[in-house]
Amino acid sequence: MRTSLSFLLIALGSLIMACADDDYAQSPASSTPTPVASGGFLTVLFEGASGQKELIVELADSPEERHMGLRNRQSMDANRGMLFAWPKDSTSAFGMPETYIPLTIAFIQEDGTIVHLDDMEPLTTNPHRSPEPYRYAVETNQGWFASNGIGVGDIAAVPKDAAAEAR
């Protein structure tokens, strides 16, 4: 009985490790893991000067979701954010009406390159634009990118799910 239980525990441990490894699919072009969906949220991995940083994001991939964004929220947990995805490159501006959280936005090209970062103050209407077209934008608590050593020119691994579902 003890041998069977030991075998079962070893097999279960191996299965858990195999599943954990499958959470990130390896990209053939690089050794950077490509995040996948997990429990209604997505993980975006940022590669910066201080290494790899993980941000858990909600996906806004429809016109209605992109318009609503983080409006009417009073707070957001650390290491959380929202990923905005378009089916093709965009030049849309972002504003902060009805948004109570100070945010920083990263504009990201299709290949994952961050082309612009901008701090956005709550309850303002001035437009925040990228100087270049972008495919994705990530909003998170103001200062998150700076405190994690992520800047313009760094790379974001955006989940394939986000690109495929954008409309």
Side-chain angles (χ1 to χ4, degrees):
M1 179 71 161
R2 185 170 284 208
T3 305
S4 296
L5 182 58
S6 296
F7 177 76
L8 181 61
L9 289 174
I10 291 170
L12 182 59
S14 297
L15 179 61
I16 290 169
M17 291 304 294
C19 289
D21 289 343
D22 287 343
D23 284 347
Y24 293 97
Q26 290 296 321
S27 167
S30 94
S31 61
T32 301
T34 303
V36 294
S38 172
F41 291 92
L42 301 170
T43 301
V44 177
L45 297 175
F46 292 90
E47 187 72 40
S50 61
Q52 199 172 75
K53 302 297 179 180
E54 186 175 279
L55 187 68
I56 307 299
V57 296
E58 295 176 57
L59 177 61
D61 61 354
S62 71
E64 299 79 21
E65 291 168 338
R66 288 190 296 264
H67 175 74
M68 187 62 175
L70 292 168
R71 290 177 191 214
N72 299 315
R73 309 244 182 130
Q74 299 296 319
S75 65
M76 184 166 48
D77 290 343
N79 295 316
R80 294 290 177 133
M82 182 168 277
L83 170 66
F84 298 81
W86 283 263
K88 59 183 182 176
D89 286 351
S90 178
T91 57
S92 296
F94 282 72
M96 295 286 285
E98 301 167 15
T99 305
Y100 298 92
I101 309 165
L103 301 171
T104 301
I105 187 169
F107 294 96
I108 304 165
Q109 292 179 329
E110 184 178 15
D111 70 358
T113 304
I114 298 172
V115 295
H116 186 64
L117 291 168
D118 201 357
D119 286 339
M120 303 188 300
E121 296 304 319
L123 304 173
T124 58
T125 57
N126 53 316
H128 297 270
R129 298 183 182 280
S130 173
E132 299 180 45
Y134 59 92
R135 183 65 55 97
Y136 309 102
V138 172
E139 290 179 343
T140 191
N141 291 301
Q142 196 170 94
W144 185 91
F145 292 104
S147 68
N148 283 284
I150 306 298
V152 172
D154 289 339
I155 300 298
V158 176
K160 291 187 187 315
D161 298 17
E165 295 179 20
R167 42 194 193 277

